[in-house]
Amino acid sequence: MNQLRKMSLLSALCLGFAGCGGDDAATSAGSGGSGAGTSSCGLGFLGDPDKPVEMKVVARGGDKISKELTEGGEAPMILPPQGGRVIFIGARATNVGPCGVVLTGTLRDLGSGQIRVDERKTNLKPTGDGWGMSLDADISTFSNIPLCPNQWASTDMVGHTFELELTLLDKEGRTATTKMNVVPTCAEPESLAACQCECKMGYTLGQTCN
């Protein structure tokens, strides 16, 4: 009976202090050690672990091919499976663990400060030159920032300047953030009229688009 009471007391202490070893403790420890960010998906470290993360921002266009975004450049708005219009913002990065990278994309209305955000956890595909990037064939590897229906911005989306921010965080805590101004554009000619209508300031769901 005394032995049983001791075991019960030990169990209670373990619960009170969030675990006493075992599988959970091993998993927690594995998230911070050297190389831990590369073990879960079988990909090796990209670049030099002793250097800071380098990141370039890319956007997936209407042709399903991603291109690097630059200051003041066009950010293509696409019709996603769930409807509306989004911009698919991805990363091309080096000096980073490619497994389980978290991408957080934010678009900010410069007039009102209102934002739209999307966060994704993904693996960066190695490109053979020490870099890895979001995979064009898989939209889940991009931050899918929802912009339209436009019931949030103080202007129309098309042709106006917004601030884009992308943050990358790998499993070992390496991080990089890039900010730039971009101009959202309708990137699919076959649905141009619908895109322009849904992305006008104050568009309401169910409104007829000619």
Side-chain angles (χ1 to χ4, degrees):
M1 177 63 73
N2 288 340
Q3 183 64 24
L4 180 59
R5 291 181 63 186
K6 289 180 180 180
M7 291 176 64
S8 298
L9 178 60
L10 179 59
S11 297
L13 289 172
C14 285
L15 290 172
F17 290 96
C20 295
D23 292 342
D24 289 342
T27 300
S28 176
S31 66
S34 177
T38 64
S39 61
S40 61
C41 69
L43 298 175
F45 192 87
L46 299 171
D48 187 340
D50 295 324
K51 293 182 178 180
V53 177
E54 292 184 48
M55 180 179 69
K56 297 180 179 180
V57 180
V58 299
R60 186 178 185 266
D63 56 1
K64 301 180 181 180
I65 297 173
S66 61
K67 297 178 181 178
E68 184 179 348
L69 279 178
T70 57
E71 174 66 28
E74 294 183 346
M77 293 189 293
I78 307 295
L79 175 65
Q82 67 269 27
R85 293 296 186 281
V86 307
I87 50 176
F88 292 119
I89 302 300
R92 186 171 183 269
T94 188
N95 307 329
V96 66
C99 298
V101 168
V102 177
L103 296 179
T104 305
T106 305
L107 195 78
R108 178 174 288 103
D109 179 356
L110 295 174
S112 67
Q114 289 287 320
I115 64 172
R116 286 297 179 268
V117 182
D118 183 72
E119 182 178 282
R120 301 278 163 155
K121 180 178 285 187
T122 186
N123 301 326
L124 298 180
K125 178 187 177 182
T127 55
D129 55 358
W131 291 67
M133 66 182 298
S134 300
L135 182 62
D136 284 352
D138 185 357
I139 59 174
S140 70
T141 65
F142 292 78
S143 173
N144 297 198
I145 307 177
L147 304 187
C148 311
N150 181 11
Q151 299 172 316
W152 67 281
S154 60
T155 65
D156 295 346
M157 297 302 306
V158 179
H160 289 84
T161 299
F162 292 77
E163 183 186 71
L164 174 69
E165 178 178 323
L166 181 68
T167 296
L168 177 153
L169 175 67
D170 79 0
K171 294 178 71 173
E172 293 188 345
R174 299 179 183 87
T175 188
T177 298
T178 297
K179 291 183 180 182
M180 67 178 72
N181 289 331
V182 298
V183 180
T185 60
C186 294
E188 297 168 311
E190 67 275 13
S191 59
L192 178 61
C195 173
Q196 291 174 335
C197 177
E198 292 178 6
C199 295
K200 283 186 175 294
M201 179 182 65
Y203 172 84
T204 57
L205 290 173
Q207 180 179 331
T208 301
C209 292
N210 297 321

